[in-house]
Amino acid sequence: MATLVPELNPPSRLLLGPGPSMVSPRVLRAMSVPLLGHLDPAFLGIMNDVQQQLREVFRTKNPFTIAISGTGSAGMEAALVNLVEPGDTALVCVNGVFSTRMADIVERCGGKLVKLETPWGQVTDLARIEEALKKNAPVKVVAVVHAETSTGAQQPIEGLGKLCHQHGALLVVDTVTSLGGVPVEVDGWEADAVYSGTQKCLSCPPGLAPLTLSPRALEAVKGRKSKCRSWYLDAGMIADYWAEGKRAYHHTAPISMVYALRESLRIVLEEGLEARFERHRRHSAALMAGVATLGCAPQAQAGHRLASLNCIQVPAGVEEAPIRKAVLLENGIEIGGGLGPLAGKVWRIGLMGESSRQENVLAVLAALEQQLKKAGRPVRLGAAGAAALEAYAG
Ligand SMILES: *Cc1c(COP(=O)(O)O)cnc(C)c1O
């Protein structure tokens, strides 16, 4: 007889890593309601609700505002594979893992990649982008990461859309770790393709990638000389699937994920975007005040630190991985380690969506104190929490 695996019973964890973030019970309940067929008129209404709410959260009027079936990386791939044709020049501002991934996708699309590199943790200067646009003209696409989850840096986007358009280029922005936690202004930025993921500041399980395309981007899609190299992510076909009145079968939408996203967006809009941004700022500031007492300096450039993802340097002489492992297994809290050149050097503490709360800030500070003290560091227990509480009071 085959041995049955035991019933699913994962340990309870506080998710304060780079994603997924904590999910509201309301979203989990939405995922457990009965399925509809994906072309059922009732489901079409649910898709409309998702689109309408996504436009509010993205702050855009773009009719093409949908959720790609796939995680954040599918959103990235969808944006690039539709806009970059073989031979097109794409300028990617590279300063972390996710912008490096964008550069990789540009090459897979057959694009002519121009990398504009900046040290990890710093942001790209608009003047350098302008210079690169002139030097490499004509540039078809400029791609940037708004919230670089691997370094904790927040790229300023204001003025970039206009600059790109002056040079005949389209602007692609990754907002996977900012949408719903840090201000995202698709129309205000004049951005052409902006994507995100559900499992970060939207506090929904991983599985969908919100994507919005400007009329200018759609024109570029329509004017392609060659077929989109991805069948699954072909924006033209997906547009017909999501377009009201058409809803032509393309693939079967992940019904329960669409339910979940609908509910998580309801939660975001109920709280209000401005209140939500302020909450993310407040808890990040308190966390950073706390970790400073532990000797952890921020990795990202001053003035450009992300509130949703706090990337901090591991104090000199401390082994990174064992502390993170103890925080997970003994304290039940997930935090992230460093990627690429930052491996072993930083911790990444996500305070995204549902995870961005005072009790979580205090819990992770206490856990870090406890584990650093065990590892022989001169830690005064309670000092980090006290510093955080002072920040809340001030
Ligand atoms: C997480 C992340 C992605 C990729 O999302 P997945 O859901 O892991 O596919 C892309 N860009 C950024 C900035 C991210 O943080």
Side-chain angles (χ1 to χ4, degrees):
M1 234 191 56
T3 8
L4 288 176
V5 299
E7 187 180 348
L8 183 65
N9 185 24
S12 94
R13 301 276 197 241
L14 177 57
L15 299 175
L16 302 183
S21 58
M22 298 303 281
V23 172
S24 158
R26 276 173 57 181
V27 173
L28 296 176
R29 277 198 299 274
M31 294 182 82
S32 68
V33 307
L35 297 193
L36 286 165
H38 72 126
L39 298 175
D40 187 310
F43 187 67
L44 303 184
I46 290 168
M47 286 166 90
N48 287 343
D49 295 341
V50 167
Q51 289 188 279
Q52 175 205 319
Q53 294 184 98
L54 278 179
R55 286 188 196 104
E56 284 189 51
V57 175
F58 268 131
R59 290 182 162 163
T60 185
K61 296 200 165 57
N62 289 339
F64 186 108
T65 302
I66 62 156
I68 294 281
S69 303
T71 65
S73 306
M76 180 188 290
E77 191 138 11
L80 294 170
V81 80
N82 281 288
L83 295 179
V84 179
E85 282 194 73
D88 285 344
T89 299
L91 177 71
V92 183
C93 301
V94 176
N95 57 357
V97 165
F98 295 101
S99 40
T100 301
R101 186 174 296 178
M102 284 176 135
D104 185 357
I105 295 175
V106 163
E107 289 187 315
R108 287 163 192 258
C109 296
K112 228 171 78 198
L113 172 66
V114 178
K115 277 203 242 181
L116 188 56
E117 292 187 88
T118 309
W120 288 33
Q122 293 184 27
V123 297
T124 311
D125 221 33
L126 251 58
R128 282 187 64 215
I129 299 176
E130 181 166 21
E131 204 179 292
L133 276 166
K134 285 182 185 153
K135 195 170 146 225
N136 298 286
V139 172
K140 169 95 172 280
V141 165
V142 172
V144 290
V145 174
H146 180 222
E148 187 39 92
T149 320
S150 62
T151 67
Q154 183 179 330
Q155 173 69 42
I157 313 283
E158 292 72 26
L160 188 50
K162 192 172 251 70
L163 178 66
C164 289
H165 297 158
Q166 279 164 1
H167 293 267
L170 297 164
L171 174 62
V172 174
V173 186
D174 177 316
T175 63
V176 176
T177 293
S178 47
L179 191 70
V182 172
V184 167
E185 304 279 353
V186 171
D187 289 356
W189 292 340
E190 297 181 42
D192 297 296
V194 181
Y195 60 86
S196 190
T198 44
Q199 83 274 30
K200 303 203 181 174
C201 299
L202 298 177
S203 271
C204 183
L208 289 174
L211 170 70
T212 183
L213 296 181
S214 72
R216 199 186 297 247
L218 281 177
E219 244 171 71
V221 169
K222 286 206 191 90
R224 284 182 66 109
K225 296 188 266 326
S226 57
K227 265 189 176 181
C228 176
R229 288 198 169 184
S230 168
W231 179 89
Y232 194 67
L233 298 174
D234 184 318
M237 291 198 283
I238 296 173
D240 287 346
Y241 185 40
W242 282 80
E244 239 191 313
K246 278 203 184 169
R247 295 283 145 96
Y249 168 66
H250 176 252
H251 66 283
T252 310
I255 309 292
S256 304
M257 277 308 303
V258 175
Y259 290 170
L261 179 57
R262 181 184 182 281
E263 188 61 19
S264 69
L265 291 168
R266 256 165 53 79
I267 293 172
V268 169
L269 293 169
E270 238 171 56
E271 179 176 8
L273 289 174
E274 291 304 331
R276 205 167 165 94
F277 302 152
E278 176 49 32
R279 173 163 65 82
H280 280 76
R281 277 193 291 269
R282 187 169 69 250
H283 296 307
S284 171
L287 176 76
M288 293 312 269
V291 295
T293 70
L294 302 172
C296 300
Q299 171 68 24
Q301 186 180 343
H304 299 286
R305 292 181 191 140
L306 255 179
S308 48
L309 193 285
N310 303 274
C311 187
I312 57 172
Q313 293 167 357
V314 175
V318 172
E319 256 203 281
E320 183 276 317
I323 301 280
R324 180 159 45 89
K325 188 172 173 196
V327 166
L328 179 69
L329 299 181
E330 292 175 29
N331 303 91
I333 303 175
E334 176 174 279
I335 61 172
L339 299 173
L342 296 180
K345 295 184 182 156
V346 297
W347 286 310
R348 294 181 299 145
I349 304 177
L351 295 174
M352 307 180 188
E354 293 286 313
S355 296
S356 174
R357 309 165 77 103
Q358 177 173 308
E359 63 264 36
N360 296 347
V361 168
L362 298 177
V364 73
L365 288 173
L368 281 172
E369 274 187 335
Q370 183 185 22
Q371 300 305 339
L372 283 167
K373 190 176 174 81
K374 272 198 204 169
R377 297 286 297 177
V379 167
R380 196 160 51 79
L381 293 179
L389 290 172
E390 287 293 347
Y392 284 121

